[in-house]
Amino acid sequence: MNKFYHRLKNYTKVILQVLMFVLTATALYFILPGEPKFKYEYQKGFPWKHENLVAPFDFAILKTDKELEDEKQEQLKNVLPYFVCDTAIATANINKLKEDFSLSNDSLTQQQKQIISKLCEELRKIYDAGILQFSLDTYNEIKGKPAIRKRIGTSVTRIDTASLFSEKSAYAAINQFKHQLKTGYSRSNWLNSHPLEHYISSNLSYDAEITQKEIDEITQNISLTRGMVRLGERIILQGEVVDSEKYQVLESLKASYEKERGKNVNRYMVSIGKSLLVVSLLALIFVFLLIYRRDIIEHLNKLLFLLLMITSMVLITNFIDSFPNLHIYMVPFAILPIVVRTFFDSRTAIFTLVISTLLIGFYAPNNYEFILLQVSAGIVAVFSLNKMHRRVHLVLAALWVFLTYTIVFTALNLIHEGEFVLFNYSITKWFAISSVLIMLVYILIYIFEKMFGFVSDVTLIELSDSNQPLLRKLSEEAPGTFQHSMQIANLAEEVILKIGGNPFLVRAGALYHDIGKIAKPTYFIENQAMGMNPHDQLDYLKSAEVIIDHVQNGVKMAQKHKLPAPIVEFIATHHGTTKAKYFYLKHKEEHPDENVNEKNFIYPGPLPRSKEAAVVMLVDGIEAASRSMKEKTHANLKELIDRMIDQKIEDKQLDNSNLTFRDITTIKEVLLQKLLNIYHVRIEYPEEKKELNQAGSQQ
C-alpha cells in the first residue's frame, strides 16, 4: 500500500511539473509579440555577413535621430514666442498720471498742459512697445529671438525684441524724457512732485499655451524620411562594411518590413516558429535544473517561483516596451538574477538571466545591444551582491549595475560611431531609473518569503538575534542549553565557512536546534544544579522518552512561533535516527532477560537533507561529548572527533546530505583546531615527546 501511495505521489508530481511547463510556455507565447521578425542581424562598423541584399519593396529612408533633432532645432529658431498684452494697464496708468498732475485744471497753465500731454504721449509709446516685468536676459523664451508676437485679443503683431522694455528700462526711458522736458521748459520743477515709477507696470506676459501649440504644429510637420529606395535596388553586398548611411537604410528597411509584416505572411508558420523558440528555451531551463538543481524540480513551490519570475519579467518588459514614451532599458532587469540568487545560487541566477534575456531580446529593439547590456549588468549584480545582509550592499550593487550599463553602452557606441560626439546621453537616464528600481528587491524578497515559504539571509540574521522571543526564553529558562547552542553556532559557522554553504542558515539553525528543551530544561545535564538530577526518580525507558521528546517539542514550538521550514529542519534532524544510547544500554543492563524494543530509544528523525543541518548534527554530538571528557588532550579530542563522525557515517545518518569525503576531512580538521583552542590544549611536538620519554627512562 505504501508503495502504491509513493508511486501515486511521484506521478502526481510529474503531472504538475509538466502542467507548469505547459502553462508557462503558453503564457510566454501569448505575452511575446506574434509578428514575424526582420531576419537579418547587423551592427554599424562591422561587415555585412549575409547574402547580397536588394530592396524587396519600395520604402522610404528614415532620418536619424540627430537629423530629426537638428531639423527640429532649426525650425524652432523661426518660432516667435507669444506674449499677451494687457492694454488696460497702460490706460489706467496714463489716466492716473493725468489725475496726479492735474489736481485743478483751472490752475494749470498752457505750458503745463502741454508738458503733461507730451509725458502721457511718451508713456503711451513705451506701453505700445511693450513692458516686461524683468530684463530680457531672464526670459529663456526670448533668447536668440529677433522678435516676439504680441497678442491683443485675436490681433497679433510682431514686435522686435530690441524695442521691448523691462520695468526698469521703461522707468529709465520715461525719466530721461522728463529731464529733456525740464531742459526745454523753464519753471518745470513741479514735475518732481510725483515719481514716474508709479506709472510703470509690465503689460506683457508669456503665453506658453499658444507658443507650445505653434511649436507642436511645426514639429509635427517635420518629415521623418528623406528619399526612397526602389524595389530591386541594391542595398548592401556581402562583406561590405555597414557604415552610417547603409545602417540607416537597413534600419529603414527593418522598420518598413515590421510595419508591413502582417501582409502576405503565413501566420501558422510564424506561430509554430514562436512556439518552438519558447519551448526550446524553456526546456533548457528544465534540463539545467535536472542536472544541477534537482531540488528545485522536486519542490514544486521552488519551480513555480522560478517560472513565475521569468514570466513576470517577460511580461513587464513587453508591457513597458509598448509605450512609445518609455524605454525598454528602464526595466530593472537585474532584479531577476538578484532575487533568484537570494533564494537559490549564483549559477541558477545567471542561467535564468540568460534564458530570459534571450526570450525578450529576440523581440526587443537592437537585439544584440539589449542582450549584451542585460546579461552584463545581471552578472555584475549577482557577483556584487553575494551578500545582502546590509542595506549598503544593495546600494553598491545598484551603482555597479549603472556603471556596467554605461560602460558597455559607451563601448558599443564607440564601436558603432567611432566618436563621443554622437553619444546618446539621454539613454543614461533610463539606466539610472533601472538601477534605482533595484531597491525594490527588499520588498519583493519579503513578499516572496511569505508567498513561497523561502528564507533569505536578511531573515536569518534577524532570527539569529539573541533578543528574539524564543531565544530570550531559552536563555532564561534553559541557560545551559542556550550557551551550548551558542557554542554549536560558532563551531558550525566556522565549519561551513571552510566547506562552503550558508553561514547565516547554519548559525540560525544551530541557535534554535535545542529549543525543545525549554519544556523540561532540568532533565538535561547542562541545566542541572549540582547533585540534582530528575532522572534519578525515573526508569530508563521514561528518561529516554523525555530526552527524545525534546525534538518533537522543539518542532511544535517552532511551528507555533512560525519559524521558517529550513530552521525547523535543524530542530527535527539534529539527532537523526540515532539512539539515546546511554539510557538504552542502562535499560538493557537492568533487564538482561527482556527483549528490548529499540524503537523506544530511537529519535524520530528524519535525517538531515542539507549540508548545514548535517554539520549541526555532527558538531552537536561532538561538542557535548568533548565537555564530558576528563582529559582533554590533542590525541583524545582527535580520537573522539574521528570516532563520532565515523559512527554517524556507519549509522547512515549522513546519507541524505550532500557532504563529500573532502568535506568530512575538513570538518574533522576544523573541529579539532577549534576544540583545542576552546580548551586551551597545547599540542605536543615531537621534540617534547622525545624529552619526556628520556626523562621517564632516567627515572
Side-chain angles (χ1 to χ4, degrees), residues 453-455 460 505 509 563-571 573 609-610 613:
F454 296 153
V455 57
L460 292 172
L505 175 61
L563 292 183
I567 302 299
V568 178
E569 181 189 352
F570 285 84
I571 301 169
T573 65
R609 294 185 297 274
S610 66

Side-chain angles (χ1 to χ4, degrees), residues 396-410:
L396 292 175
L399 289 174
W400 278 114
V401 167
F402 176 74
L403 285 174
T404 305
Y405 274 135
T406 306
I407 291 170
V408 174
F409 184 79
T410 302

Side-chain angles (χ1 to χ4, degrees), residues 197-217:
E197 63 183 19
H198 294 162
Y199 312 108
I200 299 296
S201 299
S202 62
N203 67 337
L204 292 179
S205 59
Y206 178 59
D207 191 339
E209 185 178 351
I210 298 297
T211 306
Q212 189 59 46
K213 281 183 179 179
E214 183 160 335
I215 290 172
D216 292 341
E217 286 179 10

Side-chain angles (χ1 to χ4, degrees), residues 442-454:
Y442 271 125
I443 299 172
L444 292 174
I445 286 175
Y446 177 79
I447 293 171
F448 292 143
E449 282 183 328
K450 299 303 179 186
M451 287 177 61
F452 296 96
F454 296 153

Side-chain angles (χ1 to χ4, degrees), residues 187-340:
R187 291 182 296 175
S188 57
N189 289 334
W190 57 273
L191 284 171
N192 295 329
S193 61
H194 296 286
L196 296 181
E197 63 183 19
H198 294 162
Y199 312 108
I200 299 296
S201 299
S202 62
N203 67 337
L204 292 179
S205 59
Y206 178 59
D207 191 339
E209 185 178 351
I210 298 297
T211 306
Q212 189 59 46
K213 281 183 179 179
E214 183 160 335
I215 290 172
D216 292 341
E217 286 179 10
I218 289 176
T219 53
Q220 285 172 5
N221 292 330
I222 295 175
S223 174
L224 301 178
T225 63
R226 52 170 174 82
M228 291 284 294
V229 176
R230 299 297 178 184
L231 171 66
E233 186 177 338
R234 188 186 71 187
I235 296 175
I236 193 168
L237 299 176
Q238 185 177 5
E240 192 175 353
V241 174
V242 181
D243 57 19
S244 298
E245 182 60 30
K246 293 190 182 301
Y247 179 81
Q248 195 58 31
V249 174
L250 289 168
E251 286 289 285
S252 303
L253 174 60
K254 181 180 178 180
S256 298
Y257 175 81
E258 292 179 351
K259 186 178 180 181
E260 300 293 329
R261 57 192 170 185
K263 300 176 181 178
N264 302 322
V265 169
N266 189 333
R267 292 198 171 274
Y268 292 108
M269 292 296 104
V270 173
S271 298
I272 290 172
K274 188 169 75 164
S275 301
L276 287 174
L277 175 68
V278 170
V279 169
S280 299
L281 293 177
L282 206 56
L284 284 176
I285 293 178
F286 273 77
V287 171
F288 169 83
L289 296 176
L290 282 170
I291 297 174
Y292 298 106
R293 289 301 304 265
R294 186 176 287 272
D295 60 302
I296 297 177
I297 292 282
E298 294 296 327
H299 292 82
L300 296 178
N301 64 325
K302 292 182 179 180
L303 181 61
L304 178 63
F305 163 74
L306 197 62
L307 295 177
L308 278 177
M309 282 296 298
I310 295 170
T311 307
S312 300
M313 192 55 66
V314 174
L315 176 62
I316 292 169
T317 307
N318 194 58
F319 177 73
I320 294 296
D321 192 42
S322 65
F323 289 89
N325 295 328
L326 300 178
H327 202 288
I328 195 171
Y329 288 145
M330 76 170 288
V331 179
F333 211 82
I335 284 180
L336 173 64
I338 289 174
V339 173
V340 175

Side-chain angles (χ1 to χ4, degrees), residues 22 99 113 158 166 192 298 333 507 595 633 642:
V22 172
E99 290 174 5
K113 289 180 180 179
R158 176 188 169 108
S166 65
N192 295 329
E298 294 296 327
F333 211 82
R507 183 169 192 83
N595 188 14
T633 64
D642 290 343

Side-chain angles (χ1 to χ4, degrees), residues 607-643:
L607 300 179
R609 294 185 297 274
S610 66
K611 182 185 291 187
E612 290 82 1
V615 166
V616 167
M617 168 194 269
L618 295 175
V619 174
D620 180 39
I622 291 169
E623 194 275 338
S626 67
R627 277 190 286 108
S628 63
M629 290 177 65
K630 293 181 179 178
E631 189 176 356
K632 299 178 179 64
T633 64
H634 179 277
N636 288 347
L637 287 171
K638 186 176 186 306
E639 190 275 332
L640 172 70
I641 293 168
D642 290 343
R643 174 169 49 81

Side-chain angles (χ1 to χ4, degrees), residues 350-559:
I350 292 173
F351 193 84
T352 306
L353 167 71
V354 171
I355 295 298
S356 302
T357 309
L358 290 174
L359 269 170
I360 301 168
F362 183 76
Y363 293 96
N366 300 321
N367 317 60
Y368 177 77
E369 178 187 284
F370 175 84
I371 293 171
L372 187 60
L373 280 168
Q374 300 300 350
V375 170
S376 302
I379 291 174
V380 168
V382 171
F383 290 160
S384 63
L385 206 61
N386 58 343
K387 296 178 181 178
M388 203 177 66
H389 53 277
R390 293 183 182 173
R391 286 171 292 184
V392 69
H393 293 153
L394 193 59
V395 175
L396 292 175
L399 289 174
W400 278 114
V401 167
F402 176 74
L403 285 174
T404 305
Y405 274 135
T406 306
I407 291 170
V408 174
F409 184 79
T410 302
L412 291 173
N413 190 77
L414 288 174
I415 292 170
H416 294 161
E417 306 294 346
E419 54 183 333
F420 275 112
V421 178
L422 300 176
F423 184 82
N424 185 9
Y425 293 99
S426 64
I427 203 74
T428 55
K429 75 177 179 183
W430 302 112
F431 295 153
I433 292 172
S434 174
S435 302
V436 169
L437 288 175
I438 290 176
M439 301 300 172
L440 294 172
V441 161
Y442 271 125
I443 299 172
L444 292 174
I445 286 175
Y446 177 79
I447 293 171
F448 292 143
E449 282 183 328
K450 299 303 179 186
M451 287 177 61
F452 296 96
F454 296 153
V455 57
S456 67
D457 290 349
V458 177
T459 301
L460 292 172
I461 292 169
E462 291 174 355
L463 290 172
S464 299
D465 185 357
S466 58
N467 288 313
Q468 287 284 343
L470 207 50
L471 292 181
R472 174 57 57 194
K473 187 175 183 180
L474 180 66
S475 68
E476 290 173 354
E477 299 186 16
T481 301
F482 179 74
Q483 292 302 320
H484 162 71
S485 299
M486 291 287 288
Q487 190 78 283
I488 299 302
N490 294 333
L491 289 171
E493 189 175 22
E494 288 293 329
V495 170
I496 282 296
L497 288 172
K498 293 290 184 183
I499 68 173
N502 190 336
F504 305 113
L505 175 61
V506 81
R507 183 169 192 83
L511 288 173
Y512 287 92
H513 81 283
D514 264 344
I515 57 170
K517 293 181 180 180
I518 293 175
K520 296 181 179 179
T522 57
Y523 283 81
F524 300 89
I525 191 168
E526 66 266 22
N527 301 311
Q528 293 171 0
M530 186 67 69
M532 295 182 63
N533 190 342
H535 290 287
D536 294 340
Q537 311 301 321
L538 304 175
D539 61 48
Y540 295 121
L541 184 61
K542 185 63 177 176
S543 292
E545 182 183 333
V546 171
I547 294 298
I548 291 171
D549 276 351
H550 88 274
V551 173
Q552 291 300 327
N553 290 335
V555 170
K556 291 175 183 177
M557 201 172 293
Q559 291 170 344

